Structure formats: C-alpha cells, structure tokens
C-alpha cells in the first residue's frame, strides 16, 4: 500500500483520546508508544513480510532487524519479541529452523529475547516479529516533529531494493548482494545510541517506502519541507548501475 493510501486508512480510524498514548495512528509512525509511568513508556511494533533473499538464515535476521529497528527509531530499547510466521506445509522444517535461528541471533544482539510466537499455514512463507520495548516518555523519537533548520543524517546507504532486484535479473553480482544483505541485517542499536546524546527532533526507519516515501511522511506530518541533495546521498555498490 502506498504511503498516502495507508495514511488515509489510518486517518479514518476512530481517534485515540487516552492521554497516555504518546504515539498512535495519527502520525503513521514506526511504533506505538504508551506511557506507563512518568519514567517508563512501552514501545510496541509489528513487522513481517515474504522472503527478500534466498538464504533462510539471512531472511530471518533481516525480518527481525526490520521489526527491532522500529523500536530503536522511536528512541526505545527492545525487551521481548514474538515470531509472526506463515509457512507452507511442504517447506522443510530445517528451513524454518534456520529462519528462526537467524531471527533469534538478531533479537539477542538487540538486547532482547525471543519468547514464542504464532504460526499459520500459507502458500507463501512470511516471517517477522512483534516487539515490545521501553523508552522514557520525555525522550520518544517521533517522525512528526521535524523542525525548520534541521539537518538530515542517514545511518545506512540506500539502494537495497535495487540491488536485490538487480541480482535476480543478473544486473548485480554476488559481491553487491552480500554488501546489501549485510546492511539489511544490521541493527540500528549503535546508531541510536550515538544519536541519543544529541536529542534529535525527529527520527524514522527507512525501509519499504524508501527514502522518498519516508521523507514525505516526515515532512507532511511535521508540516515542513525536506530538501534532499541527490549527489550527497550514500549509495550501495551496484545500485545506481541497476
């Protein structure tokens, strides 16, 4: 679903009026945030999708990182994760095991625990996580609070989708694919910790909608204009060639 269409669906939902809901559906943010006390807020998200690479362990790690990075993008720390999975009956159990092992390794690297989940049968495999984390209520990073004069920092190079599709069509090699997969598996934990002392005004995790989609969401929710210098954007090897 396109960002604009998704935003309209969310706008049509009944409004949440509980003052403890610090981040809800209004901003199409990376996660929901609920204040428990003056010191602790819960950050909760869910993310899952079909395989984007052939290697099952890489797929599990990438899917886990996508969900966990949503919590880091809100200024939170992941605590607990649950698997959300759909698998065809004919899929070997060894493949399922590798997906779960890749996910568990990534969850542990994020400082959290994989504590179960739910699986259904489907003709196409899908995997992801529901993640719960915590943040300080006064230090939640939303995407809707960018301000005039802010500078934009990207913590990863762009072009994973281009490289993945290019590899399938013979337009990108194994080296380019391995580079892209390495970045897709990478957690944003260290980037978030480096960013925290600066008190960023707005943060978002750039994934499925790409840089332009996420920049549009941030700009429209924040009521600012975002200017991007194409020549200054970091790019994965092989992406522009594709």
């Amino acid at each position: 679903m396109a960002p604009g269409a998704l935003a309209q669906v969310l706008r049509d939902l009944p409004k949440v009026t509980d003052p403890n809901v610090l981040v809800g559906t209004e901003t199409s943010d990376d996660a929901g945030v609920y204040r428990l006390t003056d010191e602790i807020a819960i950050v909760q998200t869910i993310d899952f999708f079909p395989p984007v690479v052939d290697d099952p362990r890489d797929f599990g790690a990438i899917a886990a990182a996508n969900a966990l990075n949503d919590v880091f993008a809100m200024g939170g720390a992941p605590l607990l994760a649950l698997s959300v999975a759909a698998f065809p009956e004919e899929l070997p159990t060894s493949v399922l095991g590798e997906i779960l092992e890749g996910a568990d390794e990534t969850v542990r690297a994020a400082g959290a625990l994989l504590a179960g989940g739910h699986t259904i049968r489907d003709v196409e495999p899908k995997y992801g996580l529901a993640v719960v984390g915590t943040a300080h209520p006064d230090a939640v990073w939303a995407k809707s609070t960018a301000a005039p004069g802010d500078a934009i920092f990207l913590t990863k190079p762009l072009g994973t989708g281009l490289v993945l599709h290019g590899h399938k069509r013979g337009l990108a090699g194994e080296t380019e694919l391995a580079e892209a997969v390495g970045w897709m598996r990478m957690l944003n934990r260290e980037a978030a910790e480096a960013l925290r002392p600066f008190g960023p005004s707005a943060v978002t995790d750039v994934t499925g909608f790409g840089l332009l989609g996420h920049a549009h969401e941030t700009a429209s929710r924040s009521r600012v204009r975002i200017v991007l210098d194409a020549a200054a954007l970091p790019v994965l090897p092989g992406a522009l060639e594709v």
Side-chain angles (χ1 to χ4, degrees), residues 95-161:
V95 174
L96 173 58
E98 287 190 64
I99 293 173
L100 293 174
E101 287 172 5
D104 183 68
E105 179 184 353
T106 304
V107 170
R108 291 177 185 273
L113 295 174
L114 186 58
H118 184 69
T119 304
I120 62 170
R121 299 184 185 94
D122 200 352
V123 294
E124 182 181 32
K126 303 175 185 68
Y127 184 77
L129 298 177
V131 185
V132 175
T134 59
H136 193 286
D138 296 331
V140 173
W141 301 340
K143 71 166 60 171
S144 59
T145 48
D150 283 350
I152 297 174
F153 290 87
L154 293 174
T155 62
K156 293 182 179 181
L158 305 168
T160 53

Side-chain angles (χ1 to χ4, degrees), residues 1 17 38 68 74 84 93 102 107 111 121 129 131 141 145 148 171 177 183 189 196 201 210 214 216 225 239:
M1 184 180 293
T17 57
D38 290 341
L68 293 159
M74 303 300 297
V84 180
T93 55
V107 170
R121 299 184 185 94
L129 298 177
V131 185
W141 301 340
T145 48
L171 302 174
L177 176 65
W183 283 104
R189 182 178 187 177
R196 198 177 307 280
S201 58
H214 287 279
H216 177 269
R225 175 177 295 181

